[in-house]
Amino acid sequence: MSDRLLPVLYINMAGEMMYILEQRLRNIDDEKSGRVLKEILLAVLNKTNLEEIFKARGLPSKRSLKMLYERLAHSSIMRLNENSMDKLFDLMTMTTKFELQQIVMAEQVMTVTVNHLQGIMDTCPNDEEVKQLVEHAYTMIFSLYRNLSPFSWHMIRCGLLSYFQDAHVKISMLLRENRQMSSGHFYLFPDSEPIVLPKDGEPVGATKYYENGTVNTTNEIPTEYTYMLFEPKPDGLNVEQRSTTLGANMYKDASSLKIQGAGGTAKSEEEREGNELKLLESMFGDLAPSASSGNRAKKHSGELDLSMFDDAGEEMSYVKETEAVLGNVLTIDATRNKTIDTAMQEMKLERAPSAKKKTKSKGADMLDMLDEAAARPPTAKPKKATAPSGTRSRATSESRARSASKPNTAERAPSAGNRRKSSGVKKE
Amino acid sequence: MSTPLAMFEHTQDISLPLGSASSYPGNLAVCYLDTRNTTFAAVTQNTNVHVAHWDTRSDVVTWESFNIVDMATEKSITITHVGLVHPNARSLPLLVVGTVMGTQVYDVRTHRLLMQVNLSAVLKVTPNQEKTILELIVEAFHAMTTPYLSDESCLGTHVGDILILMCNGETSISTRRNLKEHNDSIADIATCRFDEITCSATNAGEIIVWQKPVKGVQSRIDTKQSLSCINVLRKQVIAGTMRGVLLFYSVVSGDLMAEVHAHARLITSVSVAPESAYVMSASEDSTFKVYKLHTRKPHAYQVEYRYGKRQKDHCIVGAQFTNGRGSAIAISSYDRTTLAMYKIIKKVSATE
């Protein structure tokens, strides 16, 4: 079943990425932002890329997935620095998780996916090339998933939810709309709204007794909610209405994309071993920092720096809070066949040894590339500064104290270390 | 319609030693040893299983964690199901873990891995069927049963095969030939220890009542519903559906006796307490409900609603009685770091 996890995950998160980028690009002139969105969209739905995604087995680590979307986002002239990319990934992760938790039944993963495809198409309206690619993606999704039973959908949903487990970044918009709690969990069944029953579901409360195949008596049991019947609607493209609006652009009227507190969903995960880069390689070819990509830290003329933050202060506090949370997490092995000594050693390891180890591993290239991203200058507007977008000098925003020279993996930022999220045990 | 009776009360939340409970069905398993006043509970969390045990006369809970690693590649594997089985041949239960690769059996006390079965090895597939293996490997082992009296343990797989593990002594486990009577993914398998009835159900709605010992088919029931979980009590198979309905079938006649429209989301667990004939259903709709099943004359056949509770905004994945009397309950929810514990506060008369 894991064969079928990545395609839906990829399309849904890509949809969220397009919505977020569209929101951030709103203040930039139409022609430039339209070009950026289209270039990214062409890369996201590129037929070869999609084929690789559909062929891939299992789910990549969140770090690799973030890198995949980073590559896609950078297929245009737009550039994001590491903090912005982290925040973008946090937003994509949380909104996708939100949608997966809110659906009435697992089959609606399909509806949410089609909503995303429709939303992607709407970011570049009236474009024949885009329309064809979206329709092609829809056909691929439809032919892979159409025959699944409710139970198979349920297993897909479980697999995706398990991927998003323990991601609790707080999205200001969802908090404000009473969709998310201060703990980072979502409100699943708000008191003010009736619960939509699943397809073919009958209102909760009736107990029917059968005798010889027919209902003999009926009783009622107390219920917790008010209920609403499900209205089946087709999951087609360009239809007026689908059975849920989850997956549609929820930032349409949003003025800001703030996160409260820490983020860093891609970094909190334990690094997985294995041939993580295979998928990326097959999609983008050689991953070694080439002459063109290796110098991305240096700004080329015509590149468009985009920031996910409203100002440098917001970027600063995001970095600080995230590092504070990630820095507090210790690696605790769950097996008990570890002596206290080895556990103590692990606690002392911190970042440097894991970074050293990685320079020899298959992940070295990937981490180098992440560092390149880190070396890119912060792109948030400095507070009160009114520099026009795209022409701001690097000196105005030094929130991320980093040199733009070729990074050294041994000096990797603390957040890039190998850690496993652990609850309860914090470093003093 | 009567108001919910205050039958249970929330006593405490027990924190998992690490992370939160997983999203796969069957993330909570319970095994109680009445003779020792001890209850074991296993919760899955990503690639770890956390096993708690406590003395039923005190509230002190001890946790032990198992990191599930594939022995061949030494990689952590995603867990899709957990079971605690207590064969006669052993003094303490075995921890049986279903993963995307196969199954592993551990001794709960020594943490020793007693057996690892790779799905690709036990489900015979020819080389050109390689893709099928990869598909089924991941969805395998949704289900397992906890037969207390026999020394067998059954595990259901994605393709419908049921694997049988035999426990021949404290540390000796072997496999028997797979049962190949189902053609769809196994949703759940359950055994009633009093009546010695074992039933298995597929997600496509077929229930098989097995002969004892589990070898041949005694009878088949076609429910025509997408099933998610089952249990057996008082010669009734109680099945939960993907649409939130609880179905009661007679094992003897195969007839549908009652259906309760209990939940607005998929039913994730059906638990039974054999001594008191309590049934509990739990669902992703954040609620769990307790009923008393009346099957014995002169009382009319009845599924009497006793208690309902909403764990606000929790996606409940596991719900189990933690003893045979059904006086204590443990609830686990996706993405939550605690087990919610409930205890009975008063006996409610059946006529209320």
Side-chain angles (χ1 to χ4, degrees), chain A residues 271 277 356-367:
Chain A
E271 277 176 51
L277 293 179
K356 259 181 217 160
K357 197 175 113 203
K358 286 293 168 248
T359 54
K360 292 168 200 157
S361 75
K362 281 181 181 172
D365 284 349
M366 180 174 86
L367 291 168

Side-chain angles (χ1 to χ4, degrees), chain A residues 97 158 161 165-166 188 225, chain B residues 20 23 243 285 313 334-335:
Chain A
K97 180 180 178 184
C158 285
L161 284 177
Q165 201 176 330
D166 298 324
L188 301 180
Y225 306 99
Chain B
S20 59
S23 54
R243 301 297 188 229
D285 74 357
D313 296 301
Y334 162 66
D335 212 18

Side-chain angles (χ1 to χ4, degrees), chain A residues 1 97 107 157-158 161 165-166 168 185 188-189 191 196 198-199 205-206 208-210 222 225 336, chain B residues 1-2 20-21 23 64-65 67 109 135 139 243 257-259 261 264-265 284-285 303 310 313 334-335:
Chain A
M1 193 46 68
K97 180 180 178 184
E107 295 98 298
R157 180 167 176 254
C158 285
L161 284 177
Q165 201 176 330
D166 298 324
H168 296 137
H185 294 103
L188 301 180
F189 305 106
D191 288 327
V196 179
K199 193 177 152 218
K208 297 174 187 170
Y209 294 96
Y210 286 82
Y225 306 99
R336 79 166 185 188
Chain B
M1 192 161 44
S2 60
S20 59
S23 54
E64 297 190 38
S65 297
N67 184 21
R109 197 182 49 207
E135 274 190 11
E139 232 194 307
R243 301 297 188 229
M257 305 299 288
E259 66 179 32
H261 293 263
R265 294 285 179 274
E284 289 184 354
D285 74 357
V303 181
R310 178 173 162 196
D313 296 301
Y334 162 66
D335 212 18

Side-chain angles (χ1 to χ4, degrees), chain B residues 167-188:
Chain B
C167 180
N168 315 315
E170 280 289 332
T171 55
S172 156
I173 298 168
S174 58
T175 51
R176 234 177 55 191
R177 233 176 54 195
N178 299 357
L179 300 169
K180 294 172 183 290
E181 294 291 339
H182 285 298
N183 293 317
D184 295 285
S185 316
I186 307 291
D188 205 353

Side-chain angles (χ1 to χ4, degrees), chain B residues 219-240:
Chain B
S219 62
R220 288 174 198 262
I221 303 167
D222 184 9
T223 65
K224 298 188 174 65
Q225 306 257 7
S226 288
L227 302 181
S228 51
C229 50
I230 58 162
N231 219 319
V232 186
L233 177 73
R234 302 269 161 96
K235 295 186 182 163
Q236 314 291 307
V237 195
I238 306 154

Side-chain angles (χ1 to χ4, degrees), chain A residues 1-5 57 97 101-107 149-152 154-155 157-168 181 183 185-191 195-213 219-225 227 270 273-275 332-337 420-425, chain B residues 1-4 16-25 45-48 50 64-67 74-76 78 80 109-111 131 134-136 138-139 142 158 185-187 203 226-228 242-244 255-266 284-289 291 301-305 308-310 312-315 334-337:
Chain A
M1 193 46 68
S2 76
D3 291 17
R4 299 183 182 139
L5 287 179
R57 302 211 180 283
K97 180 180 178 184
Q101 283 215 266
Q102 295 286 326
I103 49 176
V104 171
M105 49 190 183
E107 295 98 298
S149 65
F151 193 77
S152 302
H154 178 58
M155 291 312 285
R157 180 167 176 254
C158 285
L160 294 173
L161 284 177
S162 136
Y163 191 67
F164 292 127
Q165 201 176 330
D166 298 324
H168 296 137
M181 303 172 206
S183 62
H185 294 103
F186 299 116
Y187 288 107
L188 301 180
F189 305 106
D191 288 327
I195 288 198
V196 179
L197 292 163
K199 193 177 152 218
D200 309 323
E202 287 180 45
V204 176
T207 304
K208 297 174 187 170
Y209 294 96
Y210 286 82
E211 212 162 284
N212 304 323
N219 282 335
E220 287 288 321
I221 62 167
T223 56
E224 288 76 13
Y225 306 99
Y227 303 94
E270 174 191 4
E273 290 174 39
N275 207 347
I332 299 290
D333 198 313
T335 49
R336 79 166 185 188
N337 48 4
R420 183 180 305 175
K421 196 162 188 183
S422 139
S423 75
V425 190
Chain B
M1 192 161 44
S2 60
T3 49
L16 302 185
L18 185 79
S20 59
S22 99
S23 54
Y24 284 99
Q45 174 254 328
N46 269 329
T47 57
N48 301 316
H50 305 299
E64 297 190 38
S65 297
F66 295 73
N67 184 21
E74 296 198 342
K75 281 185 196 170
S76 295
T78 305
T80 52
R109 197 182 49 207
T110 62
H111 283 228
K131 194 171 174 299
L134 286 163
E135 274 190 11
L136 65 89
V138 179
E139 232 194 307
H142 306 316
H158 168 51
S185 316
I186 307 291
N203 67 79
S226 288
L227 302 181
S228 51
M242 308 282 298
R243 301 297 188 229
D255 289 341
L256 175 63
M257 305 299 288
E259 66 179 32
V260 185
H261 293 263
H263 299 279
R265 294 285 179 274
L266 165 129
E284 289 184 354
D285 74 357
S286 305
T287 64
F288 66 91
K289 294 178 178 178
Y291 322 81
Y301 190 96
Q302 193 192 357
V303 181
E304 186 202 356
Y305 173 82
K309 173 78 182 170
R310 178 173 162 196
K312 214 168 174 304
D313 296 301
H314 281 230
C315 176
Y334 162 66
D335 212 18
R336 300 289 175 154
T337 55

Side-chain angles (χ1 to χ4, degrees), chain A residues 170-377:
Chain A
K170 286 170 270 181
I171 312 293
S172 295
M173 190 176 79
L174 294 175
L175 290 167
R176 212 170 36 241
E177 290 174 2
N178 277 333
R179 295 278 165 192
Q180 196 176 14
M181 303 172 206
S182 54
S183 62
H185 294 103
F186 299 116
Y187 288 107
L188 301 180
F189 305 106
D191 288 327
S192 53
E193 295 166 24
I195 288 198
V196 179
L197 292 163
K199 193 177 152 218
D200 309 323
E202 287 180 45
V204 176
T207 304
K208 297 174 187 170
Y209 294 96
Y210 286 82
E211 212 162 284
N212 304 323
T214 51
V215 179
N216 190 16
T217 43
T218 305
N219 282 335
E220 287 288 321
I221 62 167
T223 56
E224 288 76 13
Y225 306 99
T226 48
Y227 303 94
M228 226 171 88
L229 286 180
F230 179 83
E231 281 183 61
K233 297 208 172 69
D235 284 333
L237 271 180
N238 299 315
V239 297
E240 219 168 79
Q241 219 185 355
R242 290 178 206 97
S243 64
T244 175
T245 54
L246 291 165
N249 191 347
M250 62 165 109
Y251 306 103
K252 257 189 182 145
D253 307 313
S255 55
S256 153
L257 301 171
K258 284 207 169 113
I259 276 177
Q260 242 182 49
T265 43
K267 291 174 174 169
S268 59
E269 187 190 41
E270 174 191 4
E271 277 176 51
R272 296 185 193 191
E273 290 174 39
N275 207 347
E276 276 280 301
L277 293 179
K278 220 174 169 181
L279 172 68
L280 285 165
E281 268 173 357
S282 54
M283 282 176 74
F284 303 109
D286 187 13
L287 285 179
S290 62
S292 59
S293 66
N295 293 326
R296 277 194 311 190
K298 288 177 194 157
K299 199 168 155 181
H300 292 280
S301 63
E303 277 189 2
L304 172 67
D305 279 340
L306 186 73
S307 174
M308 289 291 135
F309 303 92
D310 289 350
D311 53 54
E314 191 197 338
E315 184 166 356
M316 271 290 270
S317 70
Y318 172 83
V319 172
K320 257 167 88 182
E321 297 240 17
T322 304
E323 289 192 349
V325 168
L326 293 176
N328 272 340
V329 178
L330 275 182
T331 306
I332 299 290
D333 198 313
T335 49
R336 79 166 185 188
N337 48 4
K338 277 243 159 82
T339 64
I340 289 178
D341 278 352
T342 45
M344 290 296 285
Q345 276 167 9
E346 271 180 14
M347 286 150 93
K348 285 177 195 155
L349 275 180
E350 295 192 348
R351 292 120 205 162
S354 75
K356 259 181 217 160
K357 197 175 113 203
K358 286 293 168 248
T359 54
K360 292 168 200 157
S361 75
K362 281 181 181 172
D365 284 349
M366 180 174 86
L367 291 168
D368 278 349
M369 292 196 58
L370 288 172
D371 281 339
E372 273 166 37
R376 250 174 251 133

